[in-house]
Amino acid sequence: MPVVKLSFGGLVAQSFGFVFANLGLFFHLVTIPWIASLAIRLLGSTLPRDSLMPMLIEKAVDIVPTVMFMVAWQRVVLLGPNRIGRLPGLGWSPRETAFLLHLIKIGGFTFVLLAAFVLTLGTIDPEMLAAGAAIDPEVARKQALAAPIGAGFTVSIILALRVSYGLAATAVDEPFSPRLSWAHSRGNAWTIIGVLFLIFLTGALATTMATLVVLGLTRGVLGAADSAAIITWTAAILVSYGGTAVAATAQALIFRDLLGWREGAPLRALSS
């Protein structure tokens, strides 16, 4: 039996509640990363879109402002707003480097599988998806090759979700690793996976809805595709950062509860 039994509903409620209770602080901390992510998106829009690889490159670069925000936000959750240090986006410290390396250990393989899946599948002609369309043997071959990669990608996401809460340890300068995250999450693995999956799914749906609503409104009012796109990206990126804040809060709460973390106190030992 685990020393601590996490509550699915309690974690979800606390995570969303903390973000909504600190919206002012959220807007303060997210401003520079938000602007940086928008600039990356604008630059990415100038790249050729004949494949999904430019989008993957854009997402890889966007990890930098995301890391700066997550480090600051998890420190708010665990240490309070007076222990953030510099405003995220105004500098890069060894703490952010350690956090990025930890994140690569957790999600790097997942990203590689995603890139391999995209490269294997390539671009698909929408007309081939129409009912009654003849199946191209080349497309069928690509799909057959991509299927096991897709299955591995799905499994890697589940594993990454289970150990991702350890990022909060790095945010508060505690030596930690995915191996320790795995060991300490025994007995609570599916709760952790379920909580984070729900939060990320909710964030993705909220971002999609914001994109569709704002794009529809701006196109109806402005009638200019470029202006509408920029306004839509601005709103969608902000909503996406809101989802990131909720997920980062959940990770910090899971770390605190599982390890019994208190600043200056030793972490809870593994249960036998």
Side-chain angles (χ1 to χ4, degrees):
M1 287 292 292
V3 175
V4 176
K5 193 64 177 175
L6 298 175
S7 166
F8 180 92
L11 282 171
V12 172
Q14 289 178 66
S15 300
F16 279 96
F18 184 88
V19 174
F20 283 111
N22 293 276
L23 281 178
L25 183 58
F26 166 77
F27 282 107
H28 176 64
L29 296 180
V30 82
T31 300
I32 298 177
W34 178 23
I35 293 171
S37 291
L38 179 60
I40 292 169
R41 180 68 187 87
L42 291 172
L43 289 174
S45 67
T46 64
L47 298 175
R49 292 287 168 169
D50 52 348
S51 74
L52 293 177
M53 284 309 297
M55 182 188 70
L56 292 176
I57 295 172
E58 178 187 313
K59 293 299 181 185
V61 175
D62 193 46
I63 289 174
V64 173
T66 302
V67 163
M68 291 189 287
F69 171 73
M70 287 186 68
V71 169
W73 189 259
Q74 289 186 336
R75 289 181 67 82
V76 168
V77 178
L78 295 173
L79 296 171
N82 297 323
R83 298 289 301 282
I84 299 170
R86 70 169 67 89
L87 191 66
L90 292 182
W92 185 273
S93 71
R95 181 181 295 133
E96 279 82 13
T97 300
F99 192 97
L100 177 59
L101 292 175
H102 195 162
L103 181 60
I104 291 173
K105 291 177 184 177
I106 291 170
F109 186 62
T110 301
F111 190 84
V112 169
L113 285 176
L114 177 60
F117 181 83
V118 169
L119 286 173
T120 302
L121 198 58
T123 57
I124 296 178
D125 186 352
E127 293 183 1
M128 298 299 299
L129 302 177
I135 298 177
D136 187 337
E138 180 63 19
V139 173
R141 185 186 67 83
K142 290 181 179 180
Q143 291 175 342
L145 290 174
I149 300 177
F153 172 70
T154 302
V155 173
S156 70
I157 288 178
I158 295 173
L159 298 179
L161 287 176
R162 172 170 171 171
V163 300
S164 67
Y165 74 89
L167 289 168
T170 306
V172 292
D173 306 318
E174 288 282 357
F176 219 64
S177 68
R179 185 185 296 273
L180 285 173
S181 296
W182 183 275
H184 282 282
S185 62
R186 291 192 183 103
N188 288 290
W190 289 111
T191 300
I192 294 170
I193 292 168
V195 166
L196 293 176
F197 177 80
L198 177 62
I199 290 173
F200 280 118
L201 178 62
T202 303
L205 291 175
T207 302
T208 301
M209 289 298 298
T211 300
L212 295 175
V213 171
V214 175
L215 182 60
L217 291 174
T218 52
R219 278 187 173 174
V221 174
L222 299 177
D226 291 342
S227 299
I230 293 173
I231 295 172
T232 300
W233 292 337
T234 302
I237 290 170
L238 178 61
V239 174
S240 178
Y241 267 108
T244 299
V246 178
T249 301
Q251 290 167 342
L253 294 176
I254 291 168
F255 168 70
R256 185 194 66 188
D257 294 346
L258 278 185
L259 280 295
W261 181 84
R262 296 292 182 275
E263 188 178 13
L267 298 178
R268 181 178 290 134
L270 284 168
S271 57
S272 57

